[in-house]
Amino acid sequence: MSSNNPLSNIPPLGPPSGMAPTASAGKFKTIDPMKVIRQYWLLFSITAVVAVVIGVGTWFVLDTYMPKYTSIAQISVNKGLESGSDAVTNDVNIRDLEPEIQNNLQRLRSEEFLRDVIRQDSIGTDSIRNSTVWYTNFQSNDLEAARDLKDNRLRAVHQPDSTLIRLQVTTGRYFDPKFKPYFGVPLPISLLSNGSKDDSQIILQSLYDHFVLSTNDTDLNPVRQERSLYQRNISSLEGQISTLEDDILNFMRENEVGLDDLRFETLVLDLSRKAQQRAETEVAFTSAKGIYDALLTRQQQDDFEPSAGDIFLIEGSQEIIGLDAQIRRLEAERGSLLARDIAENNLVIRRLDTEILTVRQQRSEEFDNKARELFNKNLEEARQAMELYQAQLTQYESDVLQLENRRRDLQRLQTQLKNKQKDLEKLEGTLESEQTQLGDAENRLERMENQQYDRTVSVSKYTPPTEAEKTFPKPGIVIPGITMLLLGSVVGLVFLKELLDHRLKGPGDVKALPDTTMLGIIPHSNEDASSRSDVERVVEREPGGLLAESFRQVRTAILSKMDRRGYKTLVLVGAKPEGGVSGVAQNLGASMALSGRRVLILDANFRRPSQAKLAGVGAEPGLAELLSGGLSPEQAEQAIRQNEHISLDVLTAGSSSAQSPELLETAMFRDLLSRLESVYDVILIDVAPALLASEAKLLAKHVDALVIVCRAMSDTRGMLQKVIGELDGQRADILGVILNGVRSAAGGYMRKNFREFYTYRAAERGSSDRASSRTTRRAPNAAAAVASPPGNGTASNGHYEDGPDLEDTPADVLDFDFEADDREDS
């Protein structure tokens, strides 16, 4: 709040309000690829090595378990019976032979021809069956082998601009599902034998020979041999069918089972009925047991009270009826005597009363005995009923178990019988197919015998099958491919992480925001190898260290802006807690004081004051007492604590009971600020985080300038933009941003700068052992000026011409170039 600031004609630094509103942070941020590569070079290097190892391992596994071997041959389609030593290239001849070429291609790819090749009866050999590992996978099923050869192994194509047909057979290693020596894992058959490598050449050689021979041979032997083969197959199938039919009949006779056996349905019905009976018996048993347990409990409690039905039975017994009759007779006799006017105290009347009482007692005893006998009888009947139901339940359970076992056995026998029947049907279907093919062969043979063969087109051998070569895996493809895939995935994830990371890591992230001024950086305390203390008061304790030098450069940038405008009051504010604002304020104040300025640090952070602790002084009295009237003008100097070594004073926040943000809007605060400006060259104000408290907004109406302190790796671009947006437009000019706690990145400009700083410092100390001692000049009785009216203090133009400065290291050694940092550092 300098007196000349409102009337100054000097244009503001940057936009009129200090900073123009910045655009909101996008989802992705701009990154420098070289910075990312230098930062993560170790991860990328390790990933590359691991990827190469994985690629080599993958190639080794594929080469061991899944190699592919390929053999190639060529067949020439000729005009008439000409030699095929030279492929026809004449366009006219090629067009004439095109239909024949396509017919031969279709024949080469047909299952019927491939099955003939596998059988090899036409040329009298069994090379594929006996010499290849590939054929063992199909368990002598020629049809399945022919289909696999057609769909997966054989490739037959017409060579362009020629009459050549190119044949290619590819085979690999095969697993034997029956051979599992290690933990149930099957091994490739080729590990157990040496046949799979040459399978492709053996198969192609057989196909090559068989196709040429069968196409050009004009006699009828191939068809006759084919017919003989079908006849032998039919004979064999008929024998198998007969044997299987006998086996089925014997099985049915020995096990007394049939496909439509009614016993199974009978067993199911019996089982259902027994299960129902068991369930009913179980319910009855549970009920009987409940009755028995209740009666047993009453017996143990001597509770023989009869039920209504029991009372009816007891009352109807002869004994009770006789006693009731005797009582009625005595009562009638007594009534007769009373009717004759005989007094009740007569001896006869009294004797009758005694007899009546005795008979009633006898009746009561008899009733109780009858009730006890009847209860015991009920108890015994309940016990017998419970035991009966229990025995029945046991029997039913045994019956159900036997029926269930019989049902399972019968079902198993029927399943076996059905499987045999399915095998029989399969054999009969194969027999029918063979019979059909036999009929086709006989028809072809008959047609060939009835007509004269006039062959105008033939095929000949052109290029014999080559030796099988490994076509997969190739190390030159697998290893680089897997390496690039894994390395590319890691690099992509790293770049995606960097794009989505909005944290402020270095100066480049701050400068990437529009219209944002970077004042300087404060390295993390771990970066200062020469410092033996934390960042608090490091300028005073370690004036020759890296942190102290960083604060000097930030101080220079701030004072340059403030001196140009004549500013004196400066608020240091952060976005959120733990940003290090208080420590930055203390060290900046010390650095400014060492440069010859008279500096006051005013702690306006009423919520979490810390300047008293940093300065090592008492917290009370302070700013709260001054603004709330707790101190008289004569006592005002007690609130300002002076540093014994440098011209740095501290005005603490004061008592917690009197602290209130509203005190910063009072006329007393404005008057106090005016008086302090008349005494001090710079007033640094420490306030609470702007995103959590309102003090920064309140002070922005009364002070000259603001500096935003951000914590590297903690605060984000969005936080910084929000703080600028909230504080922009106030009276205070936003000078720029200080990035605190910056860590150097591997290969970055700052790391090189830090190392050069240490090297230069060591060289400087080695060349000269002299210690420089700088004196500081303090303002005389600065605190007393608070109680005096504005204007009584010593005027200042913002700096001392002869002020001392503890700069042990030349500034150009640690002069951070933020443009270079944008290009190289993270």
Side-chain angles (χ1 to χ4, degrees):
M1 187 189 289
S2 60
S3 58
N4 62 344
N5 187 33
L7 303 177
S8 175
N9 295 322
I10 302 177
L13 301 173
S17 58
M19 279 190 181
T22 60
S24 60
K27 184 176 182 180
F28 299 101
K29 69 176 185 180
T30 303
I31 61 173
D32 186 352
M34 295 305 300
K35 288 169 55 179
V36 177
I37 292 174
R38 282 195 300 271
Q39 182 178 358
Y40 292 95
W41 72 268
L42 182 59
L43 174 63
F44 294 159
S45 301
I46 295 174
T47 302
V49 173
V50 173
V52 171
V53 173
I54 294 175
V56 173
T58 304
W59 170 83
F60 178 77
V61 172
L62 293 176
D63 186 67
T64 302
Y65 292 95
M66 300 177 63
K68 302 292 183 183
Y69 299 96
T70 301
S71 180
I72 301 173
Q74 287 179 317
I75 295 175
S76 175
V77 179
N78 309 306
K79 192 75 171 177
L81 297 176
E82 298 174 356
S83 173
S85 59
D86 295 324
V88 177
T89 57
N90 186 275
D91 292 340
V92 177
N93 292 336
I94 293 176
R95 287 198 300 270
D96 293 341
L97 293 175
E98 184 67 28
E100 190 66 25
I101 293 174
Q102 295 302 323
N103 290 336
N104 283 294
L105 282 174
Q106 187 175 1
R107 180 166 174 257
L108 278 167
R109 297 166 181 161
S110 65
E111 291 183 7
E112 181 180 357
F113 171 75
L114 295 176
R115 187 162 59 172
D116 290 343
V117 173
I118 293 171
R119 290 169 178 171
Q120 287 291 299
D121 288 338
S122 60
I123 59 175
T125 64
D126 289 327
S127 58
I128 293 180
R129 291 185 175 185
N130 300 332
S131 304
T132 62
V133 178
W134 167 78
Y135 185 76
T136 60
N137 287 320
F138 304 100
Q139 301 177 357
S140 301
N141 191 328
D142 294 342
L143 180 60
E144 292 296 330
R147 289 174 179 172
D148 179 71
L149 186 59
K150 172 188 175 184
D151 297 335
N152 304 318
R153 311 297 168 194
L154 174 64
R155 185 169 182 264
V157 295
H158 175 214
Q159 293 285 81
D161 301 327
S162 72
T163 60
L164 296 179
I165 295 177
R166 186 175 186 270
L167 302 177
Q168 175 180 309
V169 174
T170 302
T171 59
R173 289 181 176 167
Y174 307 95
F175 293 87
D176 185 358
K178 298 180 181 179
F179 190 79
K180 301 179 180 179
Y182 299 108
F183 307 104
V185 178
L187 286 180
I189 297 176
S190 56
L191 294 181
L192 312 176
S193 64
N194 297 323
S196 66
K197 180 178 179 180
D198 301 324
D199 281 0
S200 58
Q201 186 178 6
I202 294 173
I203 295 171
L204 184 56
Q205 186 68 54
S206 298
L207 190 150
Y208 184 78
D209 295 338
H210 183 76
F211 181 75
V212 174
L213 183 60
S214 63
T215 302
N216 295 331
D217 192 1
T218 57
D219 60 33
L220 304 177
N221 287 333
V223 182
R224 292 194 182 101
Q225 290 177 359
E226 183 180 356
R227 181 185 62 180
S228 299
L229 175 62
Y230 289 138
Q231 289 172 346
R232 288 196 301 270
N233 289 343
I234 289 172
S235 177
S236 175
L237 288 170
E238 288 176 346
Q240 294 179 27
I241 290 173
S242 177
T243 302
L244 186 56
E245 287 176 346
D246 293 339
D247 183 42
I248 291 175
L249 291 176
N250 292 332
F251 183 83
M252 295 173 63
R253 184 166 48 253
E254 291 173 0
N255 297 286
E256 298 180 354
V257 65
L259 291 175
D260 298 327
D261 200 334
L262 297 179
R263 291 182 301 165
F264 184 79
E265 297 181 0
T266 303
L267 281 175
V268 172
L269 292 176
D270 292 343
L271 181 61
S272 176
R273 185 172 61 256
K274 286 293 184 182
Q276 180 65 26
Q277 292 175 349
R278 180 184 62 180
E280 294 175 354
T281 304
E282 187 174 4
V283 172
F285 168 75
T286 303
S287 177
K289 188 175 183 303
I291 294 173
Y292 174 76
D293 292 341
L295 292 175
L296 190 62
T297 302
R298 287 180 57 191
Q299 185 185 45
Q300 294 172 353
Q301 297 175 354
D302 291 334
D303 182 11
F304 302 101
E305 184 68 25
S307 62
D310 293 341
I311 293 174
F312 179 77
L313 293 175
I314 295 172
E315 294 288 348
S317 63
Q318 295 295 330
E319 293 80 358
I320 296 299
I321 292 175
L323 291 173
D324 287 341
Q326 187 175 358
I327 290 172
R328 286 195 298 272
R329 181 179 57 79
L330 292 174
E331 288 179 346
E333 184 177 352
R334 182 177 182 277
S336 176
L337 292 175
L338 290 175
R340 287 184 289 175
D341 298 330
I342 297 178
E344 289 188 359
N345 59 355
N346 187 276
L347 181 61
V348 177
I349 295 296
R350 284 185 293 170
R351 186 173 65 252
L352 288 173
D353 289 341
T354 301
E355 289 181 3
I356 291 172
L357 182 60
T358 301
V359 174
R360 289 185 182 278
Q361 290 177 350
Q362 291 177 356
R363 184 187 186 283
S364 177
E365 293 175 357
E366 184 65 25
F367 185 89
D368 291 341
N369 291 335
K370 291 289 185 182
R372 187 182 299 274
E373 291 176 359
L374 188 58
F375 180 85
N376 291 333
K377 178 181 178 182
N378 292 337
L379 180 63
E380 181 63 20
E381 289 177 352
R383 183 186 64 79
Q384 293 176 357
M386 182 183 66
E387 292 177 351
L388 176 62
Y389 287 134
Q390 187 174 15
Q392 291 177 353
L393 183 61
T394 302
Q395 182 62 39
Y396 283 140
E397 289 177 348
S398 176
D399 294 343
V400 168
L401 182 60
Q402 292 178 1
L403 289 172
E404 181 63 26
N405 291 335
R406 288 174 58 191
R407 184 191 66 79
R408 280 200 298 266
D409 293 341
L410 184 58
Q411 187 176 15
R412 177 177 53 82
L413 293 174
Q414 283 188 334
T415 301
Q416 294 177 0
L417 181 60
K418 290 179 180 179
N419 290 337
K420 291 179 180 293
Q421 188 66 27
K422 289 181 180 178
D423 293 341
L424 178 61
E425 293 174 355
K426 184 177 180 181
L427 288 175
E428 290 175 346
T430 305
L431 175 61
E432 183 178 354
S433 176
E434 293 289 330
Q435 289 173 344
T436 301
Q437 293 178 357
L438 175 61
D440 294 341
E442 290 178 344
N443 292 334
R444 290 201 309 273
L445 182 60
E446 183 179 358
R447 287 195 303 269
M448 292 173 65
E449 290 175 345
N450 293 333
Q451 67 182 1
Q452 183 70 26
Y453 241 139
D454 182 15
R455 179 171 297 276
T456 58
V457 177
S458 64
V459 297
S460 61
K461 299 179 180 179
Y462 190 80
T463 303
T466 61
E467 184 178 353
E469 295 183 357
K470 183 183 292 184
T471 56
F472 178 84
K474 294 184 178 180
I477 297 177
V478 174
I479 297 176
I482 293 179
T483 301
M484 295 304 296
L485 177 63
L486 295 179
L487 182 59
S489 299
V490 173
V491 171
L493 290 175
V494 168
F495 272 85
L496 181 61
K497 170 183 172 294
E498 291 295 322
L499 286 172
L500 297 176
D501 191 357
H502 287 196
R503 294 178 299 173
L504 298 173
K505 298 180 180 180
D509 295 329
V510 177
K511 289 182 66 62
L513 297 175
D515 301 322
T516 304
T517 302
M518 186 69 197
L519 296 175
I521 66 169
I522 306 298
H524 195 276
S525 59
N526 294 339
E527 301 289 346
D528 192 352
S530 63
S531 177
R532 298 182 298 274
S533 61
D534 294 331
V535 71
E536 287 78 9
R537 304 189 68 178
V538 70
V539 171
E540 297 181 55
R541 296 172 181 173
E542 301 289 341
L546 175 64
L547 289 173
E549 183 61 34
S550 300
F551 279 109
R552 291 190 190 100
Q553 294 194 19
V554 174
R555 173 208 68 192
T556 301
I558 293 176
L559 290 181
S560 175
K561 292 177 177 290
M562 294 182 67
D563 290 345
R564 287 170 55 193
R565 297 288 295 165
Y567 293 162
K568 286 191 174 184
T569 53
L570 175 67
V571 171
L572 298 174
V573 61
K576 65 177 185 178
E578 309 301 331
V581 177
S582 299
V584 171
Q586 196 279 331
N587 283 289
L588 276 180
S591 182
M592 292 177 179
L594 289 172
S595 68
R597 308 286 179 123
R598 290 173 297 175
V599 181
L600 172 68
I601 298 179
L602 191 153
D603 193 350
N605 189 347
F606 292 147
R607 304 171 192 273
R608 191 184 291 181
S610 58
Q611 292 299 331
K613 181 179 178 181
L614 292 177
V617 298
E620 300 177 15
L623 179 62
E625 284 76 13
L626 286 174
L627 300 181
S628 61
L631 290 178
S632 62
E634 294 76 13
Q635 298 174 324
E637 61 181 3
Q638 300 177 9
I640 297 180
R641 277 75 169 178
Q642 299 179 351
N643 192 307
E644 298 178 357
H645 307 290
I646 56 178
S647 58
L648 174 66
D649 296 343
V650 176
L651 178 56
T652 62
S655 173
S656 59
S657 61
Q659 293 169 1
S660 174
E662 284 72 15
L663 296 175
L664 301 177
E665 291 189 300
T666 60
M668 186 175 294
F669 175 73
R670 294 191 294 272
D671 180 65
L672 173 64
L673 206 57
S674 298
R675 295 182 182 184
L676 293 175
E677 286 182 0
S678 66
V679 177
Y680 293 97
D681 299 324
V682 179
I683 301 173
L684 300 179
I685 304 176
D686 180 12
V687 296
L691 297 183
L692 302 181
S694 59
E695 283 88 332
K697 291 183 180 180
L698 299 178
L699 289 172
K701 303 176 183 178
H702 310 299
V703 299
D704 298 330
L706 291 166
V707 170
I708 302 173
V709 180
C710 295
R711 187 75 174 183
M713 304 302 293
S714 177
D715 293 349
T716 64
R717 296 187 299 159
M719 289 183 181
L720 176 57
Q721 288 182 313
K722 186 174 182 181
V723 172
I724 294 175
E726 290 184 357
L727 299 180
D728 193 22
Q730 303 293 335
R731 178 185 184 276
D733 187 8
I734 302 179
L735 300 183
V737 178
I738 299 175
L739 191 59
N740 186 27
V742 178
R743 294 179 182 269
S744 61
Y749 177 79
M750 281 192 294
R751 175 164 293 188
K752 298 176 186 176
N753 211 326
F754 294 164
R755 289 175 180 173
E756 290 179 2
F757 173 81
Y758 298 137
T759 302
Y760 186 91
R761 183 184 180 193
E764 183 182 29
R765 289 184 176 179
S767 62
S768 176
D769 295 329
R770 51 193 173 85
S772 63
S773 171
R774 307 289 175 90
T775 61
T776 60
R777 181 170 59 189
R778 294 192 50 78
N781 199 13
V786 178
S788 62
N792 294 341
T794 304
S796 173
N797 60 357
H799 65 279
Y800 287 98
E801 297 295 336
D802 58 346
D805 190 4
L806 287 177
E807 295 188 5
D808 296 339
T809 305
D812 58 350
V813 175
L814 199 62
D815 186 13
F816 294 110
D817 182 1
F818 297 128
E819 297 297 332
D821 176 75
D822 291 342
R823 297 189 300 271
E824 300 184 17
D825 192 64
S826 63

